[in-house]
Amino acid sequence: MATASSLLSEEKFLCSVCLDVFTEPVTTPCGHNFCRPCIHKYWDSSDICQCPVCKTTFSPRPELHVNTFVSELVAEFKTQVQVKASTPEPQLPETADVLCDFCSEIKEKAVKSCLMCLVSFCEVHLEPHQRVAILKSHTLLDPVKNLDDRMCKTHNKITELYCRTDQVCVCALCLKIDHKGHNVVPLEEEYEAVMAKKDETIANIQKMIQSRSEKIVEIETSVDVGQKEAEKEKDASVQVFTDLIRSIQRSQAELVEVIEERYRATKQKAEGFLTELKTEIAELESRRNQLEQLSQSDDHLHFLQSFPTLCSPSNKDWSNTGVHSDLCFEVVRDAVTCLKQRVDEIMEELPEIKMKRMREHVVDLTFDPDTAHCLLVISQDGKQVKVGETDQEVPNNPKRFEVCGDVLAKEGFTTGKFYYEVQVTGKIKWIIGVVRESVDRKENIPLSVEDGYWALRDDEGIYSACTTPNVKLTLKEELQKVGIFVDYDKGLVSFYNADSKSHIYSYTGYKFTEKLYPYFGLQGNMNGTNSAPLIISPLP
């Protein structure tokens, strides 16, 4: 018989969600117990309200109350644990001695356990099994705990047979009912057969241990080599960029110096012209003054002698004289611009850099209930949408989709770049992308660029772009989160695997003339197989 203390073993009070002793234990309609916070959190994180153990589905979600009986047992168990913890030199369950089930006061250590009686005996209480003839036929073995585990739970008889067909221990009644016609042998025979394979099994296990140990060494070595290569590559890359920066800085300084030198030469030349011109002006003004004075004199002879000299023209022709600044360095600027663009292009070939730069244009989106099909349910924060079980009563709205389970974001864009990510985990059919504002929302039209859709589709693992005809896409892994990047001014819509940062597909070369809205198509519930929500993923 099992002792009373064994009824309060720890495994009976462990929540199968958190794997810890129950806190506020509650019982589901299917009879399983969980911590109240654990089962609520489990249900909150799933679209299906079901038991974590037996997967029984509940609709609607049941209201659970604390199971007072289980709660009292948990409290008693915790009390016993505290008492045991205060006892000096406690024995671990794995090494604790099996005690005699017949000792009433001071429990003696058991020396044998009987598979027929399902009890353990000390030396004194074992004596009848060594003396009485009928008891001598019982099967005795070294002391074992939990003898109840040796009993068939269905027929309450000892399991002394082994079904090789189902690989379970059975009793004699099981052989006649549930395992009729199966390959059933005595437990001892199966034990001998398994023991015969023991050495081979141990050898195989040792080979696996050795193989995995070698793999550990291989991986650790690869990590060490990778670290050295990363450091080497980092140093080399830093040096290249440092040299480039220094070269550009030197070229910049030299170019500035050339510009300043050319300007100084031009300025100096201009100043020379100005000085010369000012001198000629002063001379001409002097002639003019002399002529005016002579014209007022009565000395006609002197006037006639002086006039030719004063009115003679200047020998220098200034009509073609000018200062032209030779400061055109467009060729240099174009070369530097091309260099920058080329470096940017090469850097963006690295998916991590590309994703980082796209995420600089992240936008905060929310689902627009005014556009949502009546079957869709939007979360309170506006970040999740799923297909409901029944149509909801929604007001008529010209913006609402009325044929398919579609919805748009509240936010639209008419210029610039924007980026967002959508979690599609758990869904087997979906469509996401952007649409123009004037897209038809009342008729069942093809999803194509011509009809205003720039979208990516998943049809049960078959991915395609919504072109005419559709372009099927081959991906290395199933999508969990999709990144969408739009450059309105360049007419670009690109899709990325946000987890691996790999490119999926791009629509290029389009001319957008209307406001673009992020678009989400949920594609029906499909009897619960496609009930997972689409989630606008938060980004920093």
Side-chain angles (χ1 to χ4, degrees):
M1 298 293 292
T3 61
S5 62
S6 68
L7 294 174
L8 295 177
S9 59
E10 181 175 2
E11 59 269 18
K12 293 182 174 63
F13 301 103
L14 295 182
C15 170
S16 59
V17 178
C18 66
L19 303 180
D20 204 350
V21 177
F22 290 127
T23 301
E24 298 183 76
V26 295
T27 304
T28 57
C30 57
H32 293 105
N33 297 310
F34 306 94
C35 302
R36 181 159 64 178
C38 292
I39 190 62
H40 284 174
K41 184 176 180 181
Y42 180 84
W43 285 344
D44 290 341
S45 63
S46 174
D47 293 321
I48 302 175
C49 182
Q50 63 179 7
C51 174
V53 176
C54 66
K55 305 303 180 183
T56 299
T57 302
F58 309 114
S59 181
R61 178 169 169 171
E63 183 178 355
L64 303 180
H65 302 281
V66 174
N67 188 321
T68 55
F69 176 71
V70 176
S71 183
E72 290 172 358
L73 287 178
V74 171
E76 182 178 350
F77 169 74
K78 289 181 178 179
T79 301
Q80 288 191 6
V81 171
Q82 291 174 354
V83 172
K84 291 180 180 179
S86 62
T87 304
E89 298 184 1
Q91 289 182 309
L92 297 175
E94 292 78 4
T95 59
D97 293 319
V98 179
L99 301 180
C100 176
D101 291 316
F102 274 85
C103 293
S104 57
E105 295 181 359
I106 300 176
K107 294 283 187 180
E108 296 292 337
K109 293 180 180 179
V111 294
K112 291 291 181 181
S113 294
C114 178
L115 290 181
M116 304 298 290
C117 301
L118 291 179
V119 290
S120 298
F121 302 98
C122 64
E123 191 71 44
V124 173
H125 293 109
L126 181 65
E127 187 271 335
H129 277 71
Q130 298 171 333
R131 174 173 50 83
V132 180
I134 193 171
L135 296 179
K136 285 184 178 181
S137 64
H138 287 192
T139 302
L140 298 176
L141 68 163
D142 291 334
V144 294
K145 297 184 293 181
N146 302 326
L147 285 169
D148 284 348
D149 293 342
R150 306 296 178 103
M151 295 289 291
C152 172
K153 299 299 187 292
T154 304
H155 306 109
N156 201 30
K157 290 186 175 297
I158 188 168
T159 53
E160 48 190 8
L161 301 172
Y162 185 82
C163 177
R164 288 176 172 172
T165 304
D166 295 333
Q167 297 185 345
V168 293
C169 296
V170 298
C171 68
L173 286 179
C174 291
L175 175 61
K176 297 179 180 179
I177 301 174
D178 299 325
H179 298 266
K180 188 175 181 179
H182 290 189
N183 183 8
V184 178
V185 298
L187 205 61
E188 292 79 4
E189 181 179 337
E190 180 64 18
Y191 170 78
E192 295 296 335
V194 172
M195 285 298 292
K197 301 177 183 178
K198 180 197 67 174
D199 293 340
E200 180 182 356
T201 302
I202 292 176
N204 289 335
I205 293 174
Q206 184 59 39
K207 287 181 181 178
M208 287 190 289
I209 292 173
Q210 180 65 26
S211 172
R212 283 153 179 75
S213 298
E214 292 174 355
K215 181 58 67 174
I216 289 174
V217 173
E218 177 186 337
I219 293 174
E220 289 177 343
T221 302
S222 298
V223 171
D224 292 339
V225 171
Q227 182 181 8
K228 293 177 181 177
E229 291 179 349
E231 290 294 334
K232 182 179 178 181
E233 186 64 29
K234 182 176 68 175
D235 292 342
S237 299
V238 169
Q239 185 60 50
V240 168
F241 274 91
T242 300
D243 293 343
L244 176 61
I245 292 170
R246 288 175 179 170
S247 175
I248 291 175
Q249 288 176 337
R250 183 177 65 251
S251 298
Q252 177 186 355
E254 290 173 347
L255 181 61
V256 169
E257 185 178 355
V258 169
I259 293 172
E260 291 177 348
E261 286 180 355
R262 290 191 181 184
Y263 172 71
R264 283 195 299 269
T266 301
K267 183 180 178 182
Q268 184 177 1
K269 184 177 181 181
E271 288 176 348
F273 288 154
L274 291 174
T275 301
E276 190 174 349
L277 283 168
K278 289 177 181 179
T279 301
E280 286 195 11
I281 289 173
E283 183 181 348
L284 290 172
E285 288 178 345
S286 176
R287 288 186 187 183
R288 183 193 62 195
N289 294 335
Q290 290 181 39
L291 280 172
E292 288 178 352
Q293 291 177 0
L294 286 173
S295 65
Q296 298 173 4
S297 173
D298 294 333
D299 189 346
H300 297 162
L301 177 62
H302 180 63
F303 177 84
L304 293 174
Q305 290 176 340
S306 301
F307 184 80
T309 303
L310 294 175
C311 69
S312 62
S314 175
N315 293 329
K316 186 168 184 178
D317 183 8
W318 290 91
S319 60
N320 295 322
T321 302
V323 177
H324 304 285
S325 300
D326 187 11
L327 299 177
C328 184
F329 295 92
E330 186 176 353
V331 174
V332 178
R333 289 197 303 273
D334 289 345
V336 174
T337 300
C338 290
L339 174 62
K340 176 184 177 301
Q341 291 175 346
R342 183 56 184 150
V343 171
D344 286 342
E345 289 172 359
I346 293 174
M347 291 298 293
E348 288 193 358
E349 290 179 3
L350 300 174
E352 295 85 354
I353 300 298
K354 180 71 173 178
M355 185 64 67
K356 179 182 178 181
R357 294 183 178 179
M358 288 191 302
R359 283 178 172 170
E360 293 174 356
H361 304 282
V362 65
V363 289
D364 185 18
L365 301 180
T366 51
F367 293 110
D368 185 0
D370 290 340
T371 65
H373 186 272
C374 60
L375 197 58
L376 300 185
V377 179
I378 298 175
S379 63
Q380 188 173 2
D381 64 357
K383 299 295 184 181
Q384 299 189 29
V385 61
K386 64 179 180 179
V387 180
E389 297 181 356
T390 59
D391 290 350
Q392 302 179 85
E393 292 186 6
V394 293
N396 290 329
N397 194 312
K399 298 192 297 182
R400 190 177 308 282
F401 288 93
E402 295 186 357
V403 178
C404 301
D406 300 337
V407 63
L408 301 182
K410 290 181 180 179
E411 298 76 18
F413 304 88
T414 57
T415 188
K417 303 173 183 177
F418 62 94
Y419 176 83
Y420 60 98
E421 292 181 357
V422 183
Q423 182 176 314
V424 297
T425 304
K427 291 194 70 64
I428 61 175
K429 297 187 74 172
W430 48 261
I431 307 173
I432 56 177
V434 295
V435 298
R436 64 190 181 206
E437 187 173 20
S438 64
V439 71
D440 192 332
R441 311 181 190 200
K442 308 302 180 183
E443 301 292 336
N444 188 8
I445 63 172
L447 301 186
S448 65
V449 172
E450 291 75 15
D451 293 296
Y453 290 83
W454 292 266
L456 178 72
R457 180 198 298 269
D458 175 17
D459 189 358
E460 299 187 55
I462 300 175
Y463 300 99
S464 60
C466 297
T467 56
T468 306
N470 286 357
V471 175
K472 289 188 178 181
L473 307 171
T474 302
L475 306 184
K476 294 182 179 179
E477 52 193 355
E478 182 180 355
L479 292 175
Q480 304 295 324
K481 189 184 296 183
V482 180
I484 299 95
F485 176 73
V486 178
D487 189 332
Y488 189 100
D489 302 324
K490 288 186 177 181
L492 169 70
V493 181
S494 294
F495 297 87
Y496 293 84
N497 183 332
D499 294 319
S500 65
K501 301 178 178 59
S502 57
H503 178 256
I504 300 173
Y505 185 80
S506 288
Y507 295 88
T508 59
Y510 291 91
K511 182 175 178 58
F512 300 129
T513 58
E514 297 182 31
K515 182 177 287 189
L516 296 182
Y517 285 90
Y519 162 81
F520 311 86
L522 281 84
Q523 298 293 286
N525 185 282
M526 301 179 63
N527 296 321
T529 59
N530 195 40
S531 60
L534 286 178
I535 302 173
I536 298 173
S537 297
L539 289 171

